[in-house]
Amino acid sequence: MNIFNIAFMEIKRDFRDVRTLFFMLAFPILLMLVLGTSLSNAFSTSVPIKDVHVLYKDQSTTGEFSKYFNEFVKGTKDSGIHFKKANNNTDGEKEVKRNQYDGYISIQDNGIKLYINEGNSVEGSVIQGMLTSFVDKYNVGVEVAKIDPTQVKEVFLANHDDYIKDTSIASNKQPGSMDYYAIAMTTMIALYGAMSASKLITGERVRKTADRLIVSPISKFEIFIGKILGSLAANFLCIIVVVYFSKFFFKANWGNHLLLVFIVLLTEVLLSISLGLVVSYITKSNASSRAIIMIVVQLSSFFGGAYFKLGDTSGILKIITHFSPLTWVNTAITKIIYTNDLSAAIPALIFNIGFSLLFLVVASISLQRREGL
């Protein structure tokens, strides 16, 4: 019962501190908004395509193909594909070489020829894809005309403007800027829990209440566990608020396995609290412990990709990034959300819990050796 009383007192103390609430709640939300909106282009995987301009010359003597080709030209206007008919004196190939057009189509009785500007490979692929789709549809119409000429019109009317249809069978989903920074800021602020944890014991000494706790009918173990549970609950509640705020207000994607994501985040909060405790016992100075923790957290945030996406790294940088808790936590959460890889949580849980137990053992041994708190 004493443990829960101390934990409840620690929770109330944290939530009464306006500065702590601002830092744990408003700070990550503001960073999400600023970084998520300003760096949105850095996370875009689409290739922007400008309007495509195509020159064509109709030299066919029969009007059947030309009639359907003109319908094709009309159907592509809304797609940003602009066709221009060339006169007899225009050298279409030369116009394409001069970069006046992205492509040139020559229509003759024996078929059509397409000339593409090699410097505009994307636009050329668009033209080739649309023209191939039209020719295939025209060939189907020719075969239908042999059986039932009245149904030829239906062939061209069915989805006449859908000449290119892009369907991804195995979509490689990636987080957008807001999705990325929702994860990164949440894991970063969870690591900042080490700052408040460094004051769990030293704060009692500063407030001159450590001696009162020692003479009270409460063991050191109960004080130690109670303060850890209280700080864990307070920090994790802030994490929950940040996650749901980003989910409903910023529309960040947290996937379909939110419970597992919260478990990973909970172990990270435990890691940060145990880190703060062990540093406070080793340094024995509030100012020194805060300085060390700030350096550790900032380096972990920087190399863990909290402020910008590092991408693929190699050499010494790759080794350094793997030492950051944010690297293994962010990797686990991203795989859980975007690939439904639940097993990705196992390495993060092992690292977080393993280091937490190590730090707590060192902190508890230091506590037992101290006279008082």
Side-chain angles (χ1 to χ4, degrees):
M1 191 65 182
N2 291 330
I3 293 176
F4 293 106
N5 288 334
I6 294 173
F8 184 65
M9 182 62 65
E10 198 64 39
I11 293 172
K12 290 195 297 182
R13 183 176 292 163
D14 283 342
F15 282 107
R16 284 173 183 169
D17 190 346
V18 178
R19 290 179 299 178
T20 300
L21 284 179
F22 175 82
F23 188 78
M24 295 297 293
L25 295 175
F27 180 66
I29 290 172
L30 286 174
L31 278 180
M32 280 183 210
L33 179 62
V34 173
L35 296 175
T37 53
S38 62
L39 299 178
S40 58
N41 291 334
F43 291 80
S44 177
T45 57
S46 60
V47 178
I49 301 176
K50 62 182 188 331
D51 288 345
V52 179
H53 298 274
V54 184
L55 186 69
Y56 73 95
K57 183 183 292 186
D58 190 354
Q59 298 175 313
S60 63
T61 56
T62 60
E64 189 67 20
F65 182 85
S66 298
K67 181 178 69 173
Y68 291 113
F69 184 81
N70 290 332
E71 291 296 323
F72 162 70
V73 170
K74 293 178 182 178
T76 58
K77 286 184 178 179
D78 295 336
S79 303
I81 314 296
H82 306 285
F83 285 85
K84 182 179 179 180
K85 188 173 183 179
N87 55 44
N88 294 329
N89 297 325
T90 303
D91 188 343
E93 296 181 50
K94 187 175 181 180
E95 292 295 313
V96 172
K97 290 179 180 179
R98 293 171 54 195
N99 204 29
Q100 298 297 315
Y101 295 91
D102 298 301
Y104 167 63
I105 299 174
S106 176
I107 304 173
Q108 301 173 356
D109 289 333
N110 59 348
I112 60 175
K113 294 182 179 180
L114 172 64
Y115 301 89
I116 296 174
N117 188 332
E118 295 182 356
N120 302 334
S121 59
V122 176
E123 288 78 5
S125 298
V126 171
I127 299 170
Q128 186 175 5
M130 296 187 71
L131 191 60
T132 301
S133 177
F134 166 73
V135 171
D136 290 342
K137 188 173 291 189
Y138 178 80
N139 291 333
V140 171
V142 171
E143 296 300 321
V144 170
K146 296 178 182 179
I147 302 173
D148 187 359
T150 60
Q151 298 297 318
V152 174
K153 189 176 182 180
E154 296 296 326
V155 174
F156 289 92
L157 286 179
N159 299 323
H160 77 281
D161 57 345
D162 189 16
Y163 293 102
I164 291 181
K165 187 175 182 180
D166 185 10
T167 303
S168 178
I169 297 175
S171 177
N172 184 21
K173 295 190 293 183
Q174 294 292 332
S177 60
M178 190 59 73
D179 302 322
Y180 177 84
Y181 283 110
I183 298 172
M185 292 301 106
T186 302
T187 55
M188 185 187 73
I189 209 64
L191 201 60
Y192 268 99
M195 297 291 292
S196 60
S198 65
K199 300 184 296 182
L200 285 178
I201 303 299
T202 58
E204 298 293 344
R205 302 186 202 131
V206 173
R207 290 188 295 268
K208 309 297 183 181
T209 54
D211 293 336
R212 294 183 182 180
L213 286 172
I214 288 297
V215 299
S216 63
I218 307 174
S219 66
K220 284 186 178 182
F221 176 78
E222 290 176 320
I223 297 171
F224 187 73
I225 298 299
K227 284 189 167 292
I228 291 174
L229 290 179
S231 182
L232 182 66
N235 282 277
F236 187 61
L237 285 173
C238 292
I239 295 300
I240 293 175
V241 172
V242 171
V243 169
Y244 277 108
F245 189 94
S246 64
K247 180 180 176 67
F248 293 111
F249 287 91
F250 296 152
K251 305 303 179 183
N253 181 16
W254 284 96
N256 301 319
H257 308 285
L258 198 54
L259 178 60
L260 184 57
V261 171
F262 277 134
I263 292 174
V264 175
L265 290 173
L266 180 62
T267 59
E268 188 196 359
V269 174
L270 179 62
L271 173 63
S272 66
I273 292 172
S274 59
L275 173 64
L277 275 173
V278 74
V279 171
S280 67
Y281 273 112
I282 291 174
T283 59
K284 300 180 182 179
S285 170
N286 192 26
S288 300
S289 63
R290 289 176 65 86
I292 292 173
I293 291 171
M294 180 60 72
I295 293 172
V296 172
V297 171
Q298 286 297 328
L299 289 176
S300 298
S301 300
F302 179 82
F303 290 107
Y307 301 114
F308 56 88
K309 194 173 183 180
L310 293 177
D312 294 330
T313 57
S314 59
I316 187 66
L317 183 59
K318 184 176 183 180
I319 297 173
I320 295 174
T321 55
H322 279 79
F323 276 104
S324 171
L326 265 66
T327 298
W328 61 68
V329 173
N330 289 346
T331 301
I333 293 177
T334 302
K335 288 183 178 180
I336 292 170
I337 295 173
Y338 293 97
T339 64
N340 293 317
D341 185 5
L342 304 186
S343 62
I346 296 176
L349 294 176
I350 292 174
F351 281 124
N352 289 342
I353 296 175
F355 281 111
S356 297
L357 292 176
L358 176 62
F359 293 153
L360 290 176
V361 168
V362 174
S364 63
I365 293 173
S366 301
L367 175 63
Q368 294 298 325
R369 289 181 177 179
R370 284 182 63 92
E371 189 174 325
L373 291 178

